[in-house]
Amino acid sequence: MRFEGTKDYVATGDLNVAVNAAIALQRPLLVKGEPGTGKTELARQVAAALGVPMLEWAVKSTTRAQQGLYEYDAVSRLRDSQLGDERVHDISNYIRRGKLWQAFEAEERVVLLIDEIDKADIEFPNDLLQELDRMEFHVYETGETVRARHRPIVIITSNNEKELPDAFLRRCFFHYIRFPDMDTLKAIVEVHFPDIKQTLLATALTQFFAVRDQQGLKKKPSTSEMLDWLKLLLAEDLTAEDLKADPRTTLPRLHGALLKNEQDVALFERLAFMARSRGR
């Protein structure tokens, strides 16, 4: 099973190498990078390219590792016992299978996405070490051991919001998705907007990178925000000429798709004020 990218996802050569290395080593692939650089979409495209199902476990700040294995619903069992329900005699009726359990018992190999692992508590990755290593876990309520029929392809994403434990990192194959350069971003845009005019694309890309490179920017716009911005430009039927900088402001047209906080908007407004002052 080899990943070479898809027609809907522009994967760089080093990213292809990382995916295939993780598959060959049977290790989880830990993918880091700026938000909006296609980390989550990578898992979907790997599943599509290899022709296997995908399971997605979206991690939140309240997520516990145990939830990926299973949860025992003691409250429902107590309620059923009070109502005299016959289901109460079989404890397995109250075991809710998590994403890891579903991946382990799947009839064929699957891609398991553990998305934004850095959102959870610092102990969350360590609590999954044994299960991801041995591909099995014990269900204490029923006394059974769940073993993977087929080792899933595990892809774990992180936005680098917090450091992950060394013991966890040792068990992963790591790849950092760098922000695409001009040529790669151009190829990504052309996948999504194949009919875009080259003059508009060239001007938009130049403005986009000028915004990203601005010193003092609190949040740099991402690839996904670039695509949203272009979608708006096309919806408004704007041309390359329409995007030319207004001497009264350094803000790009429809800048709300690119700048997502008032500090960054204020930064560009100050730059425009300073430019006007120098021109007097």
Side-chain angles (χ1 to χ4, degrees):
M1 305 178 81
R2 290 190 61 81
F3 177 68
E4 303 293 345
T6 71
K7 63 180 180 63
D8 298 320
Y9 188 88
V10 177
T12 56
D14 57 343
L15 179 55
N16 289 337
V17 168
V19 171
N20 292 317
I23 293 173
L25 292 172
Q26 297 187 333
R27 296 277 190 180
L29 173 63
L30 174 61
V31 185
K32 289 187 178 182
E34 293 181 29
T37 49
K39 300 184 298 295
T40 301
E41 186 61 25
L42 170 65
R44 300 189 180 112
Q45 295 300 325
V46 169
L50 301 182
V52 299
M54 192 190 88
L55 294 173
E56 183 172 349
W57 183 11
V59 176
K60 301 178 181 179
S61 60
T62 55
T63 302
R64 295 175 293 108
Q66 181 64 30
Q67 292 172 309
L69 307 179
Y70 69 92
E71 290 183 282
Y72 169 51
D73 191 353
V75 174
S76 293
R77 193 181 187 203
L78 175 61
R79 183 189 64 238
D80 288 349
S81 68
Q82 293 170 339
L83 296 173
D85 194 321
E86 288 298 318
R87 296 174 70 252
V88 76
H89 299 297
D90 185 356
I91 196 171
S92 64
N93 290 323
Y94 304 94
I95 301 293
R96 297 178 180 174
R97 299 178 180 185
K99 296 297 183 182
L100 260 71
W101 190 333
Q102 294 174 38
F104 285 3
E105 71 172 3
E107 295 291 340
E108 59 180 312
R109 197 175 197 184
V110 303
V111 170
L112 173 63
L113 169 64
I114 304 177
D115 201 23
E116 299 189 333
I117 195 172
D118 53 325
K119 279 187 175 180
D121 183 84
I122 190 62
E123 290 304 317
F124 178 91
N126 280 338
D127 291 343
L128 290 176
L129 287 180
Q130 180 170 309
E131 289 75 15
L132 291 176
D133 250 1
R134 299 184 180 179
M135 286 289 146
E136 66 177 39
F137 62 89
H138 188 70
V139 183
Y140 295 97
E141 289 77 6
T142 63
E144 66 179 309
T145 297
V146 178
R147 295 184 177 87
R149 296 182 182 181
H150 308 279
R151 179 178 284 267
I153 299 168
V154 181
I155 297 178
I156 303 170
T157 71
S158 168
N159 286 328
N160 235 3
E161 292 182 6
K162 63 167 69 87
E163 289 296 321
L164 299 174
D166 288 344
F168 178 77
L169 294 174
R170 281 198 302 272
R171 289 163 170 83
C172 297
F173 190 92
F174 172 76
H175 182 74
Y176 184 85
I177 297 183
R178 295 181 177 84
F179 193 84
D181 57 22
M182 181 78 79
D183 290 338
T184 304
L185 190 55
K186 182 175 182 289
I188 291 171
V189 169
E190 288 174 341
V191 166
H192 292 269
F193 306 106
D195 299 325
I196 191 169
K197 293 180 180 178
Q198 292 302 305
T199 52
L200 174 62
L201 177 55
T203 303
L205 285 173
T206 300
Q207 285 197 3
F208 174 77
F209 277 101
V211 171
R212 268 191 63 88
D213 294 341
Q214 178 59 55
Q215 293 294 321
L217 204 62
K218 184 176 180 180
K219 182 193 176 303
K220 293 183 177 183
S222 67
T223 306
S224 62
E225 287 160 341
M226 168 67 177
L227 295 174
D228 287 344
W229 183 51
L230 279 174
K231 187 175 182 179
L232 286 174
L233 297 182
L234 292 172
E236 294 293 325
D237 199 23
L238 298 179
T239 65
E241 190 69 23
D242 295 326
L243 294 188
K244 286 188 177 179
D246 186 331
R248 296 168 298 176
T249 177
T250 57
L251 285 168
R253 295 285 292 269
L254 300 168
H255 62 269
L258 300 176
L259 304 176
K260 297 302 177 73
N261 59 68
E262 62 277 14
Q263 294 97 321
D264 288 344
V265 173
L267 170 63
F268 278 88
E269 289 174 340
R270 286 197 303 274
L271 291 172
F273 176 76
M274 291 167 62
R276 289 197 300 271
S277 299
R278 287 195 298 267
R280 288 173 183 170

